[in-house]
Amino acid sequence: MRILHTSDWHIGRTFHGVDLLADQEFALSAIAEIVAVEKVDVVVVAGDVYDRSIPGADAVLACNRGLERIRAAGAVIVATPGNHDSAARLGAGAAFAAAGGLHLRTRVDELAEPVLLADGSGTVAFYGLPFLEPDVARRALEVPEARSHVEILTAAMARVREDLAGRPAGTRSVVLAHAFVVGGEASESERSISAGGVETVPASVFDGVDYVALGHLHTPQTLGERIRYSGSPLPYSFGERSHRKAVWVVDLDADGAVAVRRMDLPAVRGLSQVIGTLDELLADPQFADAENDYVSAVLTDERRPVDPMRRLKERFPFAVHMEWRRPGGNPELRYSERVRGRSDGEVTRSFLSDVRGEPTAAELRLVEQALAQAVSEKETAR
């Protein structure tokens, strides 16, 4: 059986306020094309289908179109919720969806009830472990003393192994799980799952199955031949600008052995960080390659420029983030130390210098007049 391992679609996510739905649909279309070309039997989505527990209508429609393309390309789909999803909402209508080839495994009390799919060599059991928040899952799993993700996933996998042991000999197994496994490398765009206890779990928790399709971390990575993260189909932070997004094509043979190939996804739009004064960024040819990328700009002007983002967008229409760093930096002193023994005028001048550059003589006169007026009004009030 040929399986395509994906995760962390985060449909509906924005990037520094920019709508990514068109980019996400492009990525899902690329996945559907891989399904068609590689003759994939099953696509798994290991959590975070959506970016929010209550996705917007446009996000739901975009996701549905992506699922329809994948199904039309010839693959059955098995998906489970991550920490961004609402398990109840994602699983609504699951029984009807299964009839059309979309299997949604969203309930904790049903995690040991696999999706059973057959090929010429027999049956493969797909166990979908929804994101297991310890405070909630310990009741459903009947382990009231469990507090950590390790304890919860250990209990969940015990149920999976018990079910698998009762199935006919030769039944192969795939587990979908949304978790932070020891050895995985995090990026800037994942939301912490540490509420309820220590978030990391050892890979050994998943021993005993043929392949583990992990979700949660956004970079493709291998923790073992049989346990991998596929990562997200798009970069969701500038920290991922050097990452090449991918999916895993997993061939599961009759004996449960796996052969895995990485398939890179096309980059929808590049991510670039540009550093320099505003004039340099607007004119220097060295930044030409970033003109059609999502851009994070770091301005190094001595004084904070006026309306810098509008001006940046004249050259970089997809600029989404900007920060100002004075070349000399700012004194590393606590506020109380910086103002001790200084007059109101000196404090105000320092503040203006820090946020927008050295004030002019005319600006200082206005400051002095305002401070004098404030003192006069205070004296009058007495």
Side-chain angles (χ1 to χ4, degrees):
M1 183 174 289
R2 179 160 290 176
I3 302 161
L4 191 69
H5 171 188
T6 79
S7 72
D8 296 276
W9 291 3
H10 287 281
I11 304 300
R13 188 162 188 151
T14 59
F15 186 64
H16 293 276
V18 175
D19 187 330
L20 291 179
L21 282 177
D23 292 1
Q24 290 173 325
E25 288 208 57
F26 181 91
L28 294 184
S29 294
I31 289 172
E33 185 173 347
I34 291 173
V35 168
V37 171
E38 294 292 326
K39 296 181 171 54
V40 171
D41 300 302
V42 185
V43 171
V44 299
V45 189
D48 285 349
V49 177
Y50 291 106
D51 191 59
R52 299 181 181 182
S53 59
I54 306 177
D58 289 344
V60 174
L61 291 172
C63 186
N64 285 347
R65 286 191 291 267
L67 292 169
E68 288 168 1
R69 291 188 189 102
I70 291 170
R71 186 71 186 99
V76 170
I77 304 161
V78 181
T80 193
N83 56 304
H84 282 248
D85 297 306
S86 163
R89 290 185 177 87
L90 184 65
F96 294 99
L102 171 61
H103 300 272
L104 300 164
R105 314 307 290 172
T106 63
R107 294 181 54 176
V108 178
D109 58 355
E110 295 179 351
L111 58 77
E113 299 176 17
V115 176
L116 299 174
L117 301 174
D119 63 6
S121 300
T123 301
V124 180
F126 289 81
Y127 296 91
L129 308 189
F131 170 67
L132 300 172
E133 168 56 51
D135 284 343
V136 177
R138 64 172 178 250
R139 299 180 181 88
L141 292 172
E142 300 177 343
V143 282
E145 73 288 351
R147 292 293 183 273
S148 69
H149 287 272
V150 175
E151 293 168 318
I152 290 296
L153 275 168
T154 297
M157 285 302 300
R159 291 194 175 196
V160 167
R161 293 187 192 93
E162 181 181 3
D163 178 83
L164 189 57
R167 296 195 175 274
T171 300
R172 293 157 291 165
S173 56
V174 175
V175 165
L176 291 67
H178 199 81
F180 194 158
V181 178
V182 173
E185 180 183 350
S187 61
E188 297 175 2
S189 57
E190 299 105 3
R191 181 185 298 168
S192 173
I193 58 173
S194 62
V198 176
E199 66 178 40
T200 55
V201 301
S204 59
V205 164
F206 299 102
D207 286 351
V209 295
D210 294 313
Y211 185 77
V212 182
L214 293 174
H216 180 57
L217 301 184
H218 289 179
T219 306
Q221 47 199 294
T222 301
L223 304 183
E225 187 61 22
R226 296 174 181 270
I227 179 166
R228 298 167 184 257
Y229 283 101
S230 63
S232 58
L234 292 175
Y236 291 125
S237 72
F238 279 100
E240 299 170 58
R241 63 183 181 274
S242 62
H243 299 174
R244 184 64 189 267
K245 298 301 181 177
V247 292
W248 298 111
V249 176
V250 182
D251 287 317
L252 188 62
D253 74 10
D255 298 321
V258 296
V260 184
R261 291 178 289 129
R262 173 178 169 137
M263 298 287 292
D264 286 341
L265 294 173
V268 182
R269 189 175 303 281
L271 275 66
S272 293
Q273 184 182 64
V274 295
I275 302 174
T277 67
L278 182 57
D279 288 342
E280 289 170 346
L281 297 184
L282 294 177
D284 197 322
Q286 70 170 306
F287 301 116
D289 289 344
E291 290 178 352
N292 291 312
D293 291 353
Y294 290 121
V295 166
S296 173
V298 178
L299 304 184
T300 59
D301 301 74
E302 282 290 344
R303 299 185 63 175
R304 186 183 182 91
V306 176
D307 202 8
M309 184 57 86
R310 180 189 63 79
R311 296 178 62 193
L312 281 169
K313 284 181 175 289
E314 293 173 1
R315 183 178 189 185
F316 308 105
F318 299 100
V320 296
H321 177 258
M322 186 275 299
E323 62 179 292
W324 174 52
R325 296 180 191 167
R326 294 180 67 189
N330 293 317
E332 298 296 329
L333 296 174
R334 293 193 301 270
Y335 178 74
S336 60
E337 295 174 335
R338 296 187 64 187
V339 302
R340 184 179 297 123
R342 304 174 72 187
S343 68
D344 290 343
E346 290 171 331
V347 172
T348 305
R349 178 173 182 162
S350 178
F351 172 77
L352 291 172
S353 297
D354 286 345
V355 301
R356 59 178 301 277
E358 187 67 22
T360 65
E363 290 170 335
L364 289 175
R365 284 196 295 272
L366 288 173
V367 169
E368 290 168 0
Q369 292 170 10
L371 291 173
Q373 181 65 29
V375 171
S376 175
E377 291 176 356
K378 184 177 180 180
E379 292 295 334
T380 301
R382 289 179 180 175

